[in-house]
Structures are given as C-alpha cells and as structure tokens.
Amino acid sequence: MNERIYLSLCQESGFEKEYIAKALTTQWITTGGSNVDEFENVLENYLGEKSFVSALNSGTSAIHLALILLGVDKDDEVICQSMTFSASANPILYQKATPVFVDSESDTWNICPQQLELAIKDRIRKGKKPKAIIAVHLYGNPYKVDEIHAIADKYSIPVIEDSAEALGSSYKGRKCGTFGDLSIFSFNGNKIITTSSGGALVTRNLSQKKKAIFYSTQAKDPAAHYQHSEIGYNYRMSNICAGVGLGQIKVLNENILRRKENHKFYNEIFDQIEDVELLQVFNEDYQSIYWLNAILILPQSRKRTEDLRIELDKENIESRPLWKPMHLQPIFEKYPYYGGEVAENLFKMGLCLPSGSNLTREEKKRIKKVIFNFFKK
Ligand SMILES: *Cc1c(COP(=O)(O)O)cnc(C)c1O
C-alpha cells in the first residue's frame, strides 16, 4: 500500500531543536519564557500595524479570550459565520452566550455582508444588539473585509477576525490578522505553521495584550500570595511549544510558496475538467495562502463528491467534505440563523484536497491520476 497522503500536516523545518534545547538548558520548561516572548515579537513584526500578540495554547483559547475581553456574557448574542470549524463558535457557548449564525456568499465562501446586516437589524428589532461578530478567512481565502467591517462600524459592533487558516494571506496589501478589533491565529499541527498545539490572540494595544496574558495565566492579582478577583484560565503557550513555533516561522514564506504551487497544480487539473470549480480568490485585492484547496462538483456533473472521496481513499489519499455549517450541527441547530442555502450547498458539493506544504511530485502524480481516472469514467 502506498503511504497515506494527508490533507495538511506540518513537518519539521530543522530549526526547532535549537530553540527547544534552549528552553531545556535554561530550565524554563513551563508556560511563558524567552521563546514565548521571542515568538510574540516575531509575529508582531510580521503583522506590523498595531498588532500586539499574546501566545496561547490554542486558537480556540484565543477566541475564548477575545470574547472575554469584549465582555461577552450569558445574556449576550454573538454573530458567527456558519461555514467554519466548530472552534470558531464553541467559545460563545463557553460564555453561555447565544450564537447567531449567518450564511456565506459564493464569491469567497465567507460571511455574507447582506445577510450579516439583515441579522444585525433583526436582532436589534428583537431587542438585543449583537455584542460581537466572528468572521473567518476560510481555507486562507480572505472574507469581504471592506464590506464586513463597514457594516460592523455602522452598528458599532466589534469584529473578531478568525485568521486560524490565513497566516500570510492578505487583502489590499494588508495582512489577515490585522483587520479585526481582535484577531486570532491557530498553530495546530494542520495549519500553515505549527507549535504542535497553540494559538495567538492579536490585540490593538498593549493594555489589551497585558489583560489577555493576565487571563491566560490564572488571573493573578498583584500580591505575594495567590490573590484572584476574576476568573482565570490556563491558556498560556508553553516555552517548548514556542520553540517549535520559532523554528517553524523561519519557513513560513517557503510553506506559502509551496501551497501556492499546490494551487497551481490543482488549477491545471481542473481547467481540463468540466463542471468542477476550484476555490479561487475573488479578485486581485485578495491574496490567499491556499491553506487548503477545495473544489465544488457542480450539480450538472455526472459525478458525485462523495464518490471522489471514496476513490481517493482507496488509493490512501485523504480528502474531506468542507466544514459542515454550524446551523446544521446538532449542538447548534436550535440557535438563530440568517441566510439561505449558500453554505449548505457548498457543503453538499465541496471537497478539500491534499494541500500540505510538503506534498511531493510523486504524491501529486498519484492524486492527479485518481482524479483524471475518476472523471474520465
Ligand atoms: C483550527 C481552527 C481553529 C482552532 O484552532 P485550534 O488551535 O485548533 O484551537 C479555529 N478556527 C478555525 C477556522 C480553524 O480552522
């Protein structure tokens, strides 16, 4: 059997060991520490533009702390893009707040500006202005930044920008992760770079960053003894994980180039196949790292998405349906939803294809063969 080809897995850059060794030899094998400080500095320089980074133990923790910093509490409502990974929405429930889901538009597959405004107006009419909006750059593809933020500004609602899949993507020359009132990244093992497990919260000023670190380290009040007047969390990144991140970030640009090459590879394949669309950037304002490449097999095709997934799997190649929209998930289906069937149809037609930075020429050959055979039959 051929070796399994995964959707997206990080691999060692070779630079990690030196930083991990530093954590070990300096006997700082806990959370925080010099690697963590350095990792935050590197990210702040990379993002530029008023970005203050707190390194955390996951992207999910970063979203949770973003909600806490915005004061989201049990009687609040938070708007969230429906088409996303559940980690975007779960922290709303951690706060016992109510998620309000919004459909996608078909240009970027991200939160739809029209439906967003309808949702805001309707929630206000029903008596409550949403406390925050969570917008996601799905698969590295930026959402409609100008439109979404114009609406958020019009109603004075802060935006949490979920950039978990979009480190290195940009819109009109500005990096993803710089648009939100608060933004987050994930360094899980399947993202463009990893800390093995980790994430970051990006705030717009130093006092917010200090507050985020305070909450992530058990909310210890200044005192010699352990004194607490607020709920704390154990969300800080470890010095070992930050060492992995420092080694990884050295190859971020290389990884982005590789992912763009993967996109070119799939473009060449699907240019030759009818009734299949590959996810593209909407126009030249949008730059994507193509974290994952995803296709839609259109209804007029004789072929079904699930059959392609099975064919690929037979050859030990992983592919997966798109994120199943949150408003269709058992845990979330009872909450309000605004929109039609855009996200639902994307989910029905869509498939994510192997897109790792380490995809070899041989592996691409195997993938190409299965795809061509499948559509030829
Ligand atoms: C990966 C991911 C997250 C969560 O990040 P973790 O580090 O795994 O907690 C959140 N949102 C999106 C869109 C993601 O893809």
Side-chain angles (χ1 to χ4, degrees):
M1 192 72 176
N2 277 320
E3 237 179 277
R4 185 133 177 103
I5 304 176
Y6 292 97
L7 271 193
S8 174
L9 269 188
C10 283
Q11 69 286 345
E12 191 188 358
S13 73
F15 301 107
E16 295 89 349
K17 287 193 186 80
E18 151 196 355
Y19 294 103
I20 296 169
K22 189 172 150 205
L24 296 172
T25 52
T26 57
Q27 303 285 340
W28 198 265
I29 318 171
T30 179
T31 52
S34 64
N35 282 340
V36 175
D37 295 340
E38 195 177 336
F39 187 56
E40 290 176 343
N41 285 337
V42 173
L43 282 169
E44 285 172 359
N45 289 331
Y46 182 77
L47 294 172
E49 297 193 64
K50 286 207 289 182
S51 296
F52 295 82
V53 173
S54 332
L56 303 172
N57 61 3
S58 76
T60 310
S61 311
I63 295 174
H64 191 194
L65 287 190
L67 293 171
I68 290 167
L69 286 179
L70 294 174
V72 170
D73 212 338
K74 74 174 188 323
D75 294 322
D76 293 322
E77 295 187 348
V78 175
I79 290 181
C80 183
Q81 178 168 327
S82 184
M83 181 118 205
T84 185
F85 180 46
S86 64
S88 304
N90 277 330
I92 303 169
L93 297 187
Y94 301 168
Q95 287 306 96
K96 308 261 188 295
T98 302
V100 173
F101 294 108
V102 172
D103 204 357
S104 290
E105 35 78 10
S106 47
D107 296 327
T108 74
W109 302 5
N110 293 310
I111 190 165
C112 170
Q114 284 77 34
Q115 295 294 348
L116 172 63
E117 186 156 20
L118 285 175
I120 295 171
K121 280 185 179 162
D122 193 55
R123 297 326 290 176
I124 292 173
R125 197 176 309 127
K126 290 192 161 82
K128 219 174 260 178
K129 189 172 97 169
K131 198 77 180 254
I133 298 164
I134 301 175
V136 187
H137 306 295
L138 219 57
Y139 305 125
N141 204 18
Y143 60 75
K144 292 197 168 170
V145 172
D146 285 347
E147 287 89 334
I148 298 301
H149 287 268
I151 293 164
D153 289 347
K154 183 170 158 190
Y155 295 91
S156 303
I157 304 173
V159 175
I160 298 172
E161 180 192 11
D162 183 342
S163 293
E165 304 174 1
L167 177 62
S169 292
S170 62
Y171 174 77
K172 291 189 175 170
R174 288 177 58 193
K175 290 210 170 66
C176 290
T178 65
F179 298 112
D181 294 272
L182 295 164
S183 306
I184 74 100
F185 289 105
S186 165
F187 307 111
N188 192 13
N190 62 347
K191 299 296 182 345
I192 184 96
I193 60 164
T194 191
T195 57
S196 79
S197 172
L201 177 64
V202 188
T203 58
R204 300 296 154 221
N205 60 56
L206 187 60
S207 73
Q208 281 178 316
K209 169 173 168 169
K210 286 186 174 158
K211 198 84 202 186
I213 293 173
F214 167 78
Y215 285 125
S216 75
T217 51
Q218 309 285 21
K220 296 182 201 109
D221 294 337
H225 61 279
Y226 285 102
Q227 175 79 19
H228 308 275
S229 42
E230 289 189 78
I231 301 174
Y233 301 85
N234 185 5
Y235 281 175
R236 193 76 167 126
M237 183 178 279
S238 99
N239 205 33
I240 300 278
C241 292
V244 176
L246 283 167
Q248 287 272 309
I249 206 157
K250 289 189 189 296
V251 294
L252 173 61
N253 287 334
E254 214 170 288
N255 287 357
I256 293 172
L257 281 179
R258 295 260 185 90
R259 302 242 175 189
K260 287 185 174 168
E261 279 168 20
N262 292 341
H263 181 68
K264 219 173 121 204
F265 160 74
Y266 285 116
N267 251 331
E268 283 163 8
I269 293 180
F270 291 107
D271 271 352
Q272 305 172 52
I273 296 173
E274 267 180 26
D275 304 324
V276 177
E277 272 175 23
L278 178 65
L279 175 62
Q280 309 285 354
V281 290
F282 181 46
N283 64 37
E284 60 274 20
D285 288 338
Y286 297 73
Q287 286 284 321
S288 176
I289 57 168
Y290 295 105
W291 174 61
L292 289 187
N293 287 280
I295 54 165
L296 303 177
I297 302 186
L298 303 176
Q300 62 265 36
S301 171
R302 296 173 296 114
K303 299 293 183 179
R304 290 291 148 259
T305 304
E306 177 59 8
D307 296 331
L308 176 57
R309 192 191 68 74
I310 292 165
E311 283 305 306
L312 286 162
D313 193 57
K314 277 186 200 157
E315 295 300 321
N316 215 10
I317 298 167
E318 183 185 27
S319 68
R320 268 181 194 258
L322 310 189
W323 301 125
K324 180 174 176 180
M326 292 304 114
H327 72 281
L328 303 175
Q329 300 282 359
I331 182 75
F332 290 122
E333 64 192 7
K334 64 171 179 276
Y335 298 108
Y337 170 68
Y338 292 84
E341 295 179 346
V342 177
E344 186 169 354
N345 285 328
L346 290 169
F347 171 65
K348 283 182 186 156
M349 295 185 279
L351 193 69
C352 296
L353 298 168
S355 302
S357 312
N358 56 341
L359 210 58
T360 64
R361 192 176 302 172
E362 282 311 307
E363 290 174 327
K364 283 182 182 168
K365 253 190 212 161
R366 281 171 55 197
I367 296 166
K368 187 173 170 177
K369 195 170 150 202
V370 177
I371 293 174
F372 274 128
N373 282 341
F374 175 76
F375 284 99
K376 210 161 54 192
K377 270 190 264 178

